[in-house]
């Protein structure tokens, strides 16, 4: 039965290879899939090619190439050894060993090629690669010496040359990553560490370093992603687990704060970001990020004095922070500091020319500055820009009673009171009408025909005090003023 089954398997397998185009077809398909980055599918075809022709050195070589691309160098080496066994003058294994930084083994392979009566082309290539291997060994020794002496710039320069040849050498990349960390070039360090995390299997240290770099850059989300990769490989990794707890807590607090901002609960969001700063007081970037968001919240919450203070702290550390410039500009507008707002919007525009919000903010600030040089209804009533309707009416009633012309007997004083009373009445009309107040807040005076941008109705008073005869500041309809003072 076993004999029959075995024969049947061989027959079916050979039939499959014939139908599928045989070994050459598998090699060709595998090569295309490898070029497309579909490593698993490519590996399946090369497995089939090896099974179909166990003496085809190219099938082993292609399969080894896929293993190396997957970071499985241990699986690749037996296939490369099989290649040398089948074809002693094959230099590609030496080339692959050289790319992996296995200099002694690569040198041994190139020497074997030279002893195997190679063709002139293969001999020339082997000699060239042998010379290159010797040069790389010299550079490795120099880089290690530079690194020991803490000459990280020189070490990195030598490692650049080494890695140009030894592209899959994890050790060289790890050393260069450490040089970049010491030199403060974190982007380059991240690039090398990401490569080493793939070149070395179970490289928990690379993931831990990546997580700590992102953490110190203030990127809690990326830090959390990398430390999770470490714990997938080793759930009991002490450094990664301890770091994971810290990052997770910080991430949770930050997400909660951002949710509060989305819900427009700005005061609660400020408190949450204060908690973030207590959780991590030693990483400057987290402090800066938290203050930037607090600056935004305070501006949105109509707390101009506090917003200006916090935003200024952010801008002292990061003068080109566009978000802080925009938020401080808005706070300046709330505080009637129009010229300061214009300066901030102009600075923000220099760093972000196409930001529509900045353009609109700058135009609004310029209108408000121009408006402030004419009439300011908030100042007329003595209320803040954030005042509610109830406060506005209370201020209006008090001033209307104070400046009613009937209170004055002297002709000059009466004339002055009439003008004042009209201003007070106009201020009340504008600020208690949502549409007119919105226009005024955008820098347009609804009572000034010249500032109207076409269309609509104009709520302005014609003439003088005579048009207010019978006007009731305490309600609607005709009313004759007569104040009795006890």
């Amino acid at each position: 039965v076993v004999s029959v089954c075995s024969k049947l398997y061989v027959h079916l397998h050979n039939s499959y290879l014939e139908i599928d185009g045989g070994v050459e077809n598998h090699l060709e398909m595998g090569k295309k899939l490898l070029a497309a980055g579909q490593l698993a599918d490519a590996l399946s075809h090369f497995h089939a090619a090896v099974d179909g022709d166990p003496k085809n050195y190219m099938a082993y070589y292609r399969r080894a190439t896929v293993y190396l691309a997957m970071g499985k160098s241990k699986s690749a080496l037996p296939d490369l050894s099989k290649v040398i066994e089948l074809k002693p003058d094959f230099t590609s294994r030496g080339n692959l060993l050289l790319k992996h930084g296995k200099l002694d083994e690569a040198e041994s392979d190139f020497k074997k090629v030279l002893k195997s009566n190679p063709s002139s082309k293969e001999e020339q290539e082997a000699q060239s690669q042998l010379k290159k291997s010797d040069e790389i060994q010299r550079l490795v020794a120099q880089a290690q010496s530079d690194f020991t002496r803490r000459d990280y710039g020189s070490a990195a320069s030598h490692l650049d040359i080494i890695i140009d040849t030894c592209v899959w050498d994890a050790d060289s990349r790890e050393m260069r990553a450490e040089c970049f960390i010491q030199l403060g070039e974190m982007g380059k360090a991240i690039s090398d560490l990401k490569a080493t995390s793939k070149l070395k299997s179970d490289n928990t240290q690379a993931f831990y370093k990546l997580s700590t770099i992102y953490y110190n850059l203030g990127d809690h989300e990326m830090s959390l992603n990398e430390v999770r990769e470490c714990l997938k490989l080793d759930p009991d990794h002490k450094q990664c687990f301890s770091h994971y707890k810290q990052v997770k807590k910080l991430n949770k607090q930050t997400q909660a704060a951002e949710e509060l901002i989305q819900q427009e609960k700005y005061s609660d969001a400020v408190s949450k970001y204060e908690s973030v700063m207590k959780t991590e007081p030693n990483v400057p970037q987290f402090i800066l990020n938290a203050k930037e968001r607090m600056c935004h919240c305070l501006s949105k919450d109509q707390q101009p004095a506090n917003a200006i203070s916090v935003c200024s702290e952010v801008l002292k550390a990061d003068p080109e922070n566009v978000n802080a410039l925009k938020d401080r500009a808005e706070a300046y507008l709330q505080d009637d500091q129009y010229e300061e707002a214009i300066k901030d919007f102009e600075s923000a525009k220099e760093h972000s020319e196409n930001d529509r919000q900045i353009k609109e903010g700058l135009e609004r600030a310029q209108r408000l500055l121009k408006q402030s040089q004419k009439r300011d209804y908030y100042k007329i009533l003595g209320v803040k820009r954030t005042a509610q309707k109830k406060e506005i009416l209370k201020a209006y009633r008090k001033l209307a009673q104070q400046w009613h012309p009937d209170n004055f007997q002297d002709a000059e004083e009466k004339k002055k009171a009439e003008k004042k009373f009209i201003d007070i009445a106009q201020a009340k009309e504008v600020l208690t009408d949502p549409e007119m107040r919105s226009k005024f807040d955008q820098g347009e005076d609804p009572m000034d025909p010249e500032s109207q941008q076409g269309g609509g109705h104009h709520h302005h008073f014609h003439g003088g005090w005579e048009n207010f005869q019978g006007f009731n500041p305490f309600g609607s309809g005709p009313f004759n003023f007569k104040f009795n003072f006890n």
Side-chain angles (χ1 to χ4, degrees), residues 229-486:
E229 291 300 317
C230 173
L231 291 171
K232 281 180 189 176
L233 297 172
D234 182 4
D236 298 322
H237 195 288
K238 288 184 179 180
Q239 284 179 308
C240 286
F241 186 68
S242 174
H243 187 58
Y244 169 74
K245 288 192 293 183
Q246 172 72 0
V247 183
K248 189 179 179 183
K249 181 180 180 182
L250 202 65
N251 189 61
K252 188 177 179 180
Q253 289 176 327
T254 304
Q255 286 181 342
E258 288 302 312
E259 286 173 11
L260 289 167
I261 291 173
Q262 291 297 316
Q263 296 165 18
E264 298 185 0
K265 296 179 179 178
Y266 299 115
S267 182
D268 292 339
V270 168
S271 297
K272 188 60 71 174
Y273 269 116
E274 286 172 346
S275 298
V276 168
M277 292 193 292
K278 287 177 184 176
T279 299
E280 184 45 87
N282 301 316
V283 177
Q285 194 59 48
F286 278 123
I287 302 294
L288 191 64
N289 292 349
K291 286 186 176 180
E292 180 189 321
R293 298 305 283 156
M294 288 168 65
C295 152
H296 176 72
C297 293
L298 291 164
S299 177
K300 285 287 187 183
D301 205 35
Q302 304 285 316
Q303 297 186 47
N306 290 336
I308 291 166
S309 175
V310 175
C311 294
S312 297
E313 285 182 45
V314 175
L315 290 165
K316 186 177 180 181
D318 181 9
E320 297 180 4
N321 190 312
V322 172
N323 291 328
L325 283 167
K326 288 195 291 187
D327 288 323
R328 189 171 72 172
E330 292 292 345
Y332 277 136
L333 289 180
Q334 294 162 22
D335 204 41
D336 299 338
Q337 297 187 54
Y338 306 120
E339 291 179 351
E340 294 301 318
I342 288 169
K343 286 179 187 176
D344 274 357
F345 277 128
E346 286 176 340
S347 295
K349 190 177 179 181
E350 287 177 14
H351 306 299
S352 184
E353 292 182 6
N354 300 318
D355 190 317
R356 185 178 172 184
Q357 193 179 28
I358 294 171
K359 184 182 177 184
E360 291 175 353
L362 179 57
E363 290 172 355
R364 180 160 40 90
Q366 289 167 338
R367 286 198 304 271
L368 287 167
L369 175 61
K370 188 177 179 182
Q371 182 190 84
S372 71
Q373 293 162 351
K374 295 181 179 179
R375 274 190 302 190
D376 188 331
Y377 296 122
Y378 290 104
K379 286 184 178 178
I380 289 170
L381 294 183
V383 296
K384 293 182 179 178
R385 282 187 172 267
T386 55
Q388 300 298 312
K389 186 175 181 179
K390 188 177 178 182
E391 296 174 66
I392 291 166
L393 288 171
K394 183 179 178 182
Y396 163 71
R397 287 167 183 156
K398 182 180 177 182
L399 289 168
Q401 185 176 11
Q402 179 185 343
W403 288 98
H404 194 286
D406 287 354
N407 294 338
F408 300 88
Q409 303 305 316
D410 181 78
E412 274 305 312
E413 288 183 355
K414 186 181 281 286
K415 190 175 180 181
K416 181 181 176 183
E418 286 174 2
K419 185 180 182 306
K420 188 80 172 175
F421 190 84
I422 290 171
D423 286 344
I424 292 164
Q426 287 182 332
K428 176 255 183 185
E429 183 175 2
V430 170
L431 300 183
T432 55
D433 182 296
E435 184 182 346
M436 287 199 287
R437 183 176 181 180
S438 177
K439 284 183 178 181
F440 184 73
D441 286 344
Q442 294 300 315
E444 182 182 337
D445 187 348
M447 291 295 179
D448 181 1
E450 291 181 9
S451 76
Q452 298 296 304
Q453 297 177 353
H457 51 282
H458 304 308
H459 294 264
H460 54 278
F461 297 110
H462 296 283
W465 163 244
E466 62 274 7
N467 291 318
F468 281 87
Q469 296 297 326
F471 178 71
N472 177 11
F474 301 102
S476 58
F479 188 91
N480 294 316
F481 287 98
K482 188 170 182 181
F483 298 108
N484 295 311
F485 300 98
N486 293 326

Side-chain angles (χ1 to χ4, degrees), residues 127-164:
Q127 286 176 339
S128 173
Q129 293 299 81
L130 196 58
K131 186 178 179 181
K132 185 181 285 187
S133 177
D134 289 340
E135 176 61 14
I136 294 297
Q137 284 186 328
R138 185 189 68 77
L139 288 169
V140 168
Q142 185 62 54
Q144 288 173 339
S145 173
D146 291 338
F147 189 85
T148 303
R149 290 185 292 105
R150 298 184 181 181
D151 186 355
Y152 300 113
S154 182
S157 296
H158 287 118
L159 287 162
D160 287 343
I161 301 168
I162 294 165
I163 292 168
D164 278 344

